Amino acid sequence: MSGPGTQLTTSGLLPLDTTEDVRARRPRVAVLPIGSFEQHGAFLPLATDTVIACTIAREVAAAYPVHLLPPLTIACSHEHAAWPGTVSISAVTLHAVVRDIAESLRRSGIDALVLVNGHGGNYVLGNVVQESAGSGTRMALFPAPDDWREARARADVRTSPHSDMHAGELETSVLLHAHPEMVRPGYETSDFLADDRRHLLTLDLSAYTESGVIGRPSLATAEKGRQLLAGLVDCFSSYVSILTPEATHAAPDAVRDAHEGVERGSSEEPVLAARRG
């Protein structure tokens, strides 16, 4: 796989660059995947959100000249605490860690940071980006709701963003494409909807679902996952333009060629809130 920002990774989750690789590329923008460690029903792993964030970030790094960072794997999953295995840190801690990373990057010469968020409950990330103005580091939160809307339309995801909250059609599709070995049997019969969740943050998710699933994973396919990721990679071009307005960027054809190279690869070389859980 090759492209403007090709970087080596292991299993798609961790970057394998040396310091000399980064020196040669001289990236202007860093990409930080942020996930969670929380229940995703009986058929998806606790690390689902982290894997999805890493998968998006890897696809972005294959198509654009960015500096791919290792993920933050535990974040704000307090609404999932009723299920065994879920682990959280406070919003204050997550805020501080991201700010520390941004400051470290700035000292090493990278003054733009994109937070690739895989967990909708990481609400504080919006505040981190909002507060970055004037800090010396330009930040962005990706994917934005409009990015997800475009990607969902491209992939023909049938469940609405509100209904497709957790371990549903979108998340299961991405893993079926990118890491099918992580999807256990049972997603085909685990559909459950709970559209009225107005007291979610007060009562937590267990008030609305026994299985931990809210969505329709039975509609998930690997092809939808492939199209979702391709759509998000296309959307990322505007972030590069905004964060490095003075730089000369790859022509759209070059970026599209890189995307097509990714799509031609096997599922082991795969390339997501409005994602929610």
Side-chain angles (χ1 to χ4, degrees), residues 195-213:
D195 283 352
D196 185 353
R197 305 186 301 270
R198 69 189 72 187
H199 301 299
L200 171 64
L201 296 184
T202 300
L203 299 176
D204 79 45
L205 196 68
S206 64
Y208 298 97
T209 172
E210 292 184 6
S211 68
V213 176

mmCIF file with all atom_site columns, all heavy atoms in Angstrom, residues 195-213:
data_model
loop_
_atom_site.group_PDB
_atom_site.id
_atom_site.type_symbol
_atom_site.label_atom_id
_atom_site.label_alt_id
_atom_site.label_comp_id
_atom_site.label_asym_id
_atom_site.label_entity_id
_atom_site.label_seq_id
_atom_site.pdbx_PDB_ins_code
_atom_site.Cartn_x
_atom_site.Cartn_y
_atom_site.Cartn_z
_atom_site.occupancy
_atom_site.B_iso_or_equiv
_atom_site.pdbx_formal_charge
_atom_site.auth_seq_id
_atom_site.auth_comp_id
_atom_site.auth_asym_id
_atom_site.auth_atom_id
_atom_site.pdbx_PDB_model_num
ATOM 1   N N   . ASP A 1 195 ? -35.077 4.234  21.085 1.00 0.00 ? 195 ASP A N   1
ATOM 2   C CA  . ASP A 1 195 ? -34.891 5.597  20.583 1.00 0.00 ? 195 ASP A CA  1
ATOM 3   C C   . ASP A 1 195 ? -35.145 6.671  21.633 1.00 0.00 ? 195 ASP A C   1
ATOM 4   O O   . ASP A 1 195 ? -34.626 7.784  21.516 1.00 0.00 ? 195 ASP A O   1
ATOM 5   C CB  . ASP A 1 195 ? -35.792 5.826  19.374 1.00 0.00 ? 195 ASP A CB  1
ATOM 6   C CG  . ASP A 1 195 ? -35.244 5.162  18.114 1.00 0.00 ? 195 ASP A CG  1
ATOM 7   O OD1 . ASP A 1 195 ? -34.103 4.655  18.163 1.00 0.00 ? 195 ASP A OD1 1
ATOM 8   O OD2 . ASP A 1 195 ? -35.943 5.151  17.094 1.00 0.00 ? 195 ASP A OD2 1
ATOM 9   N N   . ASP A 1 196 ? -35.951 6.394  22.655 1.00 0.00 ? 196 ASP A N   1
ATOM 10  C CA  . ASP A 1 196 ? -36.194 7.371  23.714 1.00 0.00 ? 196 ASP A CA  1
ATOM 11  C C   . ASP A 1 196 ? -35.185 7.128  24.839 1.00 0.00 ? 196 ASP A C   1
ATOM 12  O O   . ASP A 1 196 ? -35.379 6.280  25.708 1.00 0.00 ? 196 ASP A O   1
ATOM 13  C CB  . ASP A 1 196 ? -37.619 7.243  24.240 1.00 0.00 ? 196 ASP A CB  1
ATOM 14  C CG  . ASP A 1 196 ? -37.944 8.345  25.261 1.00 0.00 ? 196 ASP A CG  1
ATOM 15  O OD1 . ASP A 1 196 ? -37.030 9.108  25.647 1.00 0.00 ? 196 ASP A OD1 1
ATOM 16  O OD2 . ASP A 1 196 ? -39.118 8.426  25.685 1.00 0.00 ? 196 ASP A OD2 1
ATOM 17  N N   . ARG A 1 197 ? -34.087 7.872  24.802 1.00 0.00 ? 197 ARG A N   1
ATOM 18  C CA  . ARG A 1 197 ? -33.019 7.721  25.791 1.00 0.00 ? 197 ARG A CA  1
ATOM 19  C C   . ARG A 1 197 ? -32.738 9.057  26.473 1.00 0.00 ? 197 ARG A C   1
ATOM 20  O O   . ARG A 1 197 ? -31.586 9.395  26.772 1.00 0.00 ? 197 ARG A O   1
ATOM 21  C CB  . ARG A 1 197 ? -31.738 7.209  25.114 1.00 0.00 ? 197 ARG A CB  1
ATOM 22  C CG  . ARG A 1 197 ? -31.922 5.925  24.328 1.00 0.00 ? 197 ARG A CG  1
ATOM 23  C CD  . ARG A 1 197 ? -30.595 5.402  23.799 1.00 0.00 ? 197 ARG A CD  1
ATOM 24  N NE  . ARG A 1 197 ? -29.908 6.343  22.930 1.00 0.00 ? 197 ARG A NE  1
ATOM 25  C CZ  . ARG A 1 197 ? -30.062 6.420  21.606 1.00 0.00 ? 197 ARG A CZ  1
ATOM 26  N NH1 . ARG A 1 197 ? -30.910 5.603  20.996 1.00 0.00 ? 197 ARG A NH1 1
ATOM 27  N NH2 . ARG A 1 197 ? -29.393 7.313  20.893 1.00 0.00 ? 197 ARG A NH2 1
ATOM 28  N N   . ARG A 1 198 ? -33.778 9.788  26.752 1.00 0.00 ? 198 ARG A N   1
ATOM 29  C CA  . ARG A 1 198 ? -33.587 11.177 27.208 1.00 0.00 ? 198 ARG A CA  1
ATOM 30  C C   . ARG A 1 198 ? -32.860 11.271 28.545 1.00 0.00 ? 198 ARG A C   1
ATOM 31  O O   . ARG A 1 198 ? -32.266 12.307 28.860 1.00 0.00 ? 198 ARG A O   1
ATOM 32  C CB  . ARG A 1 198 ? -34.931 11.891 27.280 1.00 0.00 ? 198 ARG A CB  1
ATOM 33  C CG  . ARG A 1 198 ? -35.863 11.400 28.384 1.00 0.00 ? 198 ARG A CG  1
ATOM 34  C CD  . ARG A 1 198 ? -37.241 11.994 28.242 1.00 0.00 ? 198 ARG A CD  1
ATOM 35  N NE  . ARG A 1 198 ? -37.949 11.408 27.109 1.00 0.00 ? 198 ARG A NE  1
ATOM 36  C CZ  . ARG A 1 198 ? -39.141 11.858 26.679 1.00 0.00 ? 198 ARG A CZ  1
ATOM 37  N NH1 . ARG A 1 198 ? -39.711 12.901 27.253 1.00 0.00 ? 198 ARG A NH1 1
ATOM 38  N NH2 . ARG A 1 198 ? -39.746 11.257 25.676 1.00 0.00 ? 198 ARG A NH2 1
ATOM 39  N N   . HIS A 1 199 ? -32.890 10.217 29.367 1.00 0.00 ? 199 HIS A N   1
ATOM 40  C CA  . HIS A 1 199 ? -32.229 10.263 30.679 1.00 0.00 ? 199 HIS A CA  1
ATOM 41  C C   . HIS A 1 199 ? -30.985 9.382  30.724 1.00 0.00 ? 199 HIS A C   1
ATOM 42  O O   . HIS A 1 199 ? -30.577 8.927  31.791 1.00 0.00 ? 199 HIS A O   1
ATOM 43  C CB  . HIS A 1 199 ? -33.217 9.828  31.767 1.00 0.00 ? 199 HIS A CB  1
ATOM 44  C CG  . HIS A 1 199 ? -34.445 10.680 31.832 1.00 0.00 ? 199 HIS A CG  1
ATOM 45  N ND1 . HIS A 1 199 ? -34.402 12.033 32.113 1.00 0.00 ? 199 HIS A ND1 1
ATOM 46  C CD2 . HIS A 1 199 ? -35.753 10.375 31.621 1.00 0.00 ? 199 HIS A CD2 1
ATOM 47  C CE1 . HIS A 1 199 ? -35.631 12.533 32.093 1.00 0.00 ? 199 HIS A CE1 1
ATOM 48  N NE2 . HIS A 1 199 ? -36.466 11.553 31.790 1.00 0.00 ? 199 HIS A NE2 1
ATOM 49  N N   . LEU A 1 200 ? -30.368 9.173  29.578 1.00 0.00 ? 200 LEU A N   1
ATOM 50  C CA  . LEU A 1 200 ? -29.227 8.265  29.487 1.00 0.00 ? 200 LEU A CA  1
ATOM 51  C C   . LEU A 1 200 ? -28.110 8.627  30.454 1.00 0.00 ? 200 LEU A C   1
ATOM 52  O O   . LEU A 1 200 ? -27.589 7.768  31.177 1.00 0.00 ? 200 LEU A O   1
ATOM 53  C CB  . LEU A 1 200 ? -28.686 8.253  28.058 1.00 0.00 ? 200 LEU A CB  1
ATOM 54  C CG  . LEU A 1 200 ? -27.364 7.522  27.836 1.00 0.00 ? 200 LEU A CG  1
ATOM 55  C CD1 . LEU A 1 200 ? -27.524 6.032  28.124 1.00 0.00 ? 200 LEU A CD1 1
ATOM 56  C CD2 . LEU A 1 200 ? -26.848 7.753  26.422 1.00 0.00 ? 200 LEU A CD2 1
ATOM 57  N N   . LEU A 1 201 ? -27.713 9.879  30.496 1.00 0.00 ? 201 LEU A N   1
ATOM 58  C CA  . LEU A 1 201 ? -26.572 10.258 31.320 1.00 0.00 ? 201 LEU A CA  1
ATOM 59  C C   . LEU A 1 201 ? -26.887 10.191 32.814 1.00 0.00 ? 201 LEU A C   1
ATOM 60  O O   . LEU A 1 201 ? -25.981 10.073 33.632 1.00 0.00 ? 201 LEU A O   1
ATOM 61  C CB  . LEU A 1 201 ? -26.090 11.655 30.950 1.00 0.00 ? 201 LEU A CB  1
ATOM 62  C CG  . LEU A 1 201 ? -25.555 11.800 29.519 1.00 0.00 ? 201 LEU A CG  1
ATOM 63  C CD1 . LEU A 1 201 ? -25.014 13.205 29.287 1.00 0.00 ? 201 LEU A CD1 1
ATOM 64  C CD2 . LEU A 1 201 ? -24.485 10.765 29.222 1.00 0.00 ? 201 LEU A CD2 1
ATOM 65  N N   . THR A 1 202 ? -28.167 10.254 33.168 1.00 0.00 ? 202 THR A N   1
ATOM 66  C CA  . THR A 1 202 ? -28.560 10.130 34.568 1.00 0.00 ? 202 THR A CA  1
ATOM 67  C C   . THR A 1 202 ? -28.684 8.673  34.986 1.00 0.00 ? 202 THR A C   1
ATOM 68  O O   . THR A 1 202 ? -28.217 8.277  36.067 1.00 0.00 ? 202 THR A O   1
ATOM 69  C CB  . THR A 1 202 ? -29.910 10.840 34.801 1.00 0.00 ? 202 THR A CB  1
ATOM 70  O OG1 . THR A 1 202 ? -29.785 12.217 34.466 1.00 0.00 ? 202 THR A OG1 1
ATOM 71  C CG2 . THR A 1 202 ? -30.345 10.717 36.263 1.00 0.00 ? 202 THR A CG2 1
ATOM 72  N N   . LEU A 1 203 ? -29.284 7.866  34.118 1.00 0.00 ? 203 LEU A N   1
ATOM 73  C CA  . LEU A 1 203 ? -29.593 6.481  34.476 1.00 0.00 ? 203 LEU A CA  1
ATOM 74  C C   . LEU A 1 203 ? -28.546 5.482  34.007 1.00 0.00 ? 203 LEU A C   1
ATOM 75  O O   . LEU A 1 203 ? -28.512 4.361  34.496 1.00 0.00 ? 203 LEU A O   1
ATOM 76  C CB  . LEU A 1 203 ? -30.955 6.097  33.886 1.00 0.00 ? 203 LEU A CB  1
ATOM 77  C CG  . LEU A 1 203 ? -32.153 6.921  34.356 1.00 0.00 ? 203 LEU A CG  1
ATOM 78  C CD1 . LEU A 1 203 ? -33.406 6.496  33.602 1.00 0.00 ? 203 LEU A CD1 1
ATOM 79  C CD2 . LEU A 1 203 ? -32.337 6.769  35.862 1.00 0.00 ? 203 LEU A CD2 1
ATOM 80  N N   . ASP A 1 204 ? -27.733 5.824  33.061 1.00 0.00 ? 204 ASP A N   1
ATOM 81  C CA  . ASP A 1 204 ? -26.751 5.025  32.343 1.00 0.00 ? 204 ASP A CA  1
ATOM 82  C C   . ASP A 1 204 ? -27.443 4.094  31.355 1.00 0.00 ? 204 ASP A C   1
ATOM 83  O O   . ASP A 1 204 ? -28.666 3.953  31.344 1.00 0.00 ? 204 ASP A O   1
ATOM 84  C CB  . ASP A 1 204 ? -25.753 4.315  33.253 1.00 0.00 ? 204 ASP A CB  1
ATOM 85  C CG  . ASP A 1 204 ? -26.251 3.050  33.932 1.00 0.00 ? 204 ASP A CG  1
ATOM 86  O OD1 . ASP A 1 204 ? -26.888 2.207  33.284 1.00 0.00 ? 204 ASP A OD1 1
ATOM 87  O OD2 . ASP A 1 204 ? -25.949 2.893  35.131 1.00 0.00 ? 204 ASP A OD2 1
ATOM 88  N N   . LEU A 1 205 ? -26.647 3.436  30.522 1.00 0.00 ? 205 LEU A N   1
ATOM 89  C CA  . LEU A 1 205 ? -27.191 2.680  29.396 1.00 0.00 ? 205 LEU A CA  1
ATOM 90  C C   . LEU A 1 205 ? -28.003 1.463  29.825 1.00 0.00 ? 205 LEU A C   1
ATOM 91  O O   . LEU A 1 205 ? -28.892 1.008  29.101 1.00 0.00 ? 205 LEU A O   1
ATOM 92  C CB  . LEU A 1 205 ? -26.051 2.245  28.475 1.00 0.00 ? 205 LEU A CB  1
ATOM 93  C CG  . LEU A 1 205 ? -26.460 1.780  27.079 1.00 0.00 ? 205 LEU A CG  1
ATOM 94  C CD1 . LEU A 1 205 ? -27.014 2.939  26.259 1.00 0.00 ? 205 LEU A CD1 1
ATOM 95  C CD2 . LEU A 1 205 ? -25.266 1.151  26.354 1.00 0.00 ? 205 LEU A CD2 1
ATOM 96  N N   . SER A 1 206 ? -27.721 0.927  30.997 1.00 0.00 ? 206 SER A N   1
ATOM 97  C CA  . SER A 1 206 ? -28.421 -0.283 31.439 1.00 0.00 ? 206 SER A CA  1
ATOM 98  C C   . SER A 1 206 ? -29.918 -0.058 31.647 1.00 0.00 ? 206 SER A C   1
ATOM 99  O O   . SER A 1 206 ? -30.684 -1.016 31.702 1.00 0.00 ? 206 SER A O   1
ATOM 100 C CB  . SER A 1 206 ? -27.799 -0.816 32.733 1.00 0.00 ? 206 SER A CB  1
ATOM 101 O OG  . SER A 1 206 ? -27.961 0.111  33.795 1.00 0.00 ? 206 SER A OG  1
ATOM 102 N N   . ALA A 1 207 ? -30.343 1.196  31.736 1.00 0.00 ? 207 ALA A N   1
ATOM 103 C CA  . ALA A 1 207 ? -31.773 1.492  31.851 1.00 0.00 ? 207 ALA A CA  1
ATOM 104 C C   . ALA A 1 207 ? -32.502 1.305  30.533 1.00 0.00 ? 207 ALA A C   1
ATOM 105 O O   . ALA A 1 207 ? -33.731 1.250  30.504 1.00 0.00 ? 207 ALA A O   1
ATOM 106 C CB  . ALA A 1 207 ? -31.970 2.927  32.352 1.00 0.00 ? 207 ALA A CB  1
ATOM 107 N N   . TYR A 1 208 ? -31.753 1.162  29.446 1.00 0.00 ? 208 TYR A N   1
ATOM 108 C CA  . TYR A 1 208 ? -32.365 1.119  28.115 1.00 0.00 ? 208 TYR A CA  1
ATOM 109 C C   . TYR A 1 208 ? -32.082 -0.171 27.345 1.00 0.00 ? 208 TYR A C   1
ATOM 110 O O   . TYR A 1 208 ? -32.723 -0.422 26.324 1.00 0.00 ? 208 TYR A O   1
ATOM 111 C CB  . TYR A 1 208 ? -31.879 2.314  27.296 1.00 0.00 ? 208 TYR A CB  1
ATOM 112 C CG  . TYR A 1 208 ? -32.279 3.633  27.909 1.00 0.00 ? 208 TYR A CG  1
ATOM 113 C CD1 . TYR A 1 208 ? -31.382 4.343  28.714 1.00 0.00 ? 208 TYR A CD1 1
ATOM 114 C CD2 . TYR A 1 208 ? -33.562 4.139  27.737 1.00 0.00 ? 208 TYR A CD2 1
ATOM 115 C CE1 . TYR A 1 208 ? -31.761 5.539  29.304 1.00 0.00 ? 208 TYR A CE1 1
ATOM 116 C CE2 . TYR A 1 208 ? -33.941 5.335  28.325 1.00 0.00 ? 208 TYR A CE2 1
ATOM 117 C CZ  . TYR A 1 208 ? -33.037 6.025  29.115 1.00 0.00 ? 208 TYR A CZ  1
ATOM 118 O OH  . TYR A 1 208 ? -33.422 7.207  29.709 1.00 0.00 ? 208 TYR A OH  1
ATOM 119 N N   . THR A 1 209 ? -31.132 -0.970 27.773 1.00 0.00 ? 209 THR A N   1
ATOM 120 C CA  . THR A 1 209 ? -30.822 -2.209 27.064 1.00 0.00 ? 209 THR A CA  1
ATOM 121 C C   . THR A 1 209 ? -30.202 -3.210 28.025 1.00 0.00 ? 209 THR A C   1
ATOM 122 O O   . THR A 1 209 ? -29.321 -2.863 28.817 1.00 0.00 ? 209 THR A O   1
ATOM 123 C CB  . THR A 1 209 ? -29.863 -1.971 25.885 1.00 0.00 ? 209 THR A CB  1
ATOM 124 O OG1 . THR A 1 209 ? -29.445 -3.225 25.350 1.00 0.00 ? 209 THR A OG1 1
ATOM 125 C CG2 . THR A 1 209 ? -28.643 -1.181 26.301 1.00 0.00 ? 209 THR A CG2 1
ATOM 126 N N   . GLU A 1 210 ? -30.645 -4.451 27.961 1.00 0.00 ? 210 GLU A N   1
ATOM 127 C CA  . GLU A 1 210 ? -30.049 -5.507 28.778 1.00 0.00 ? 210 GLU A CA  1
ATOM 128 C C   . GLU A 1 210 ? -28.807 -6.084 28.114 1.00 0.00 ? 210 GLU A C   1
ATOM 129 O O   . GLU A 1 210 ? -27.839 -6.449 28.787 1.00 0.00 ? 210 GLU A O   1
ATOM 130 C CB  . GLU A 1 210 ? -31.066 -6.633 29.017 1.00 0.00 ? 210 GLU A CB  1
ATOM 131 C CG  . GLU A 1 210 ? -32.237 -6.229 29.895 1.00 0.00 ? 210 GLU A CG  1
ATOM 132 C CD  . GLU A 1 210 ? -33.153 -7.397 30.190 1.00 0.00 ? 210 GLU A CD  1
ATOM 133 O OE1 . GLU A 1 210 ? -32.802 -8.541 29.805 1.00 0.00 ? 210 GLU A OE1 1
ATOM 134 O OE2 . GLU A 1 210 ? -34.216 -7.179 30.796 1.00 0.00 ? 210 GLU A OE2 1
ATOM 135 N N   . SER A 1 211 ? -28.814 -6.162 26.800 1.00 0.00 ? 211 SER A N   1
ATOM 136 C CA  . SER A 1 211 ? -27.700 -6.780 26.079 1.00 0.00 ? 211 SER A CA  1
ATOM 137 C C   . SER A 1 211 ? -26.512 -5.850 25.924 1.00 0.00 ? 211 SER A C   1
ATOM 138 O O   . SER A 1 211 ? -25.391 -6.300 25.665 1.00 0.00 ? 211 SER A O   1
ATOM 139 C CB  . SER A 1 211 ? -28.157 -7.217 24.683 1.00 0.00 ? 211 SER A CB  1
ATOM 140 O OG  . SER A 1 211 ? -28.448 -6.084 23.875 1.00 0.00 ? 211 SER A OG  1
ATOM 141 N N   . GLY A 1 212 ? -26.746 -4.547 26.053 1.00 0.00 ? 212 GLY A N   1
ATOM 142 C CA  . GLY A 1 212 ? -25.711 -3.559 25.775 1.00 0.00 ? 212 GLY A CA  1
ATOM 143 C C   . GLY A 1 212 ? -25.750 -3.044 24.354 1.00 0.00 ? 212 GLY A C   1
ATOM 144 O O   . GLY A 1 212 ? -25.038 -2.107 24.003 1.00 0.00 ? 212 GLY A O   1
ATOM 145 N N   . VAL A 1 213 ? -26.603 -3.637 23.521 1.00 0.00 ? 213 VAL A N   1
ATOM 146 C CA  . VAL A 1 213 ? -26.723 -3.247 22.110 1.00 0.00 ? 213 VAL A CA  1
ATOM 147 C C   . VAL A 1 213 ? -27.895 -2.296 21.939 1.00 0.00 ? 213 VAL A C   1
ATOM 148 O O   . VAL A 1 213 ? -28.982 -2.531 22.479 1.00 0.00 ? 213 VAL A O   1
ATOM 149 C CB  . VAL A 1 213 ? -26.938 -4.491 21.221 1.00 0.00 ? 213 VAL A CB  1
ATOM 150 C CG1 . VAL A 1 213 ? -27.166 -4.084 19.766 1.00 0.00 ? 213 VAL A CG1 1
ATOM 151 C CG2 . VAL A 1 213 ? -25.759 -5.441 21.333 1.00 0.00 ? 213 VAL A CG2 1
#
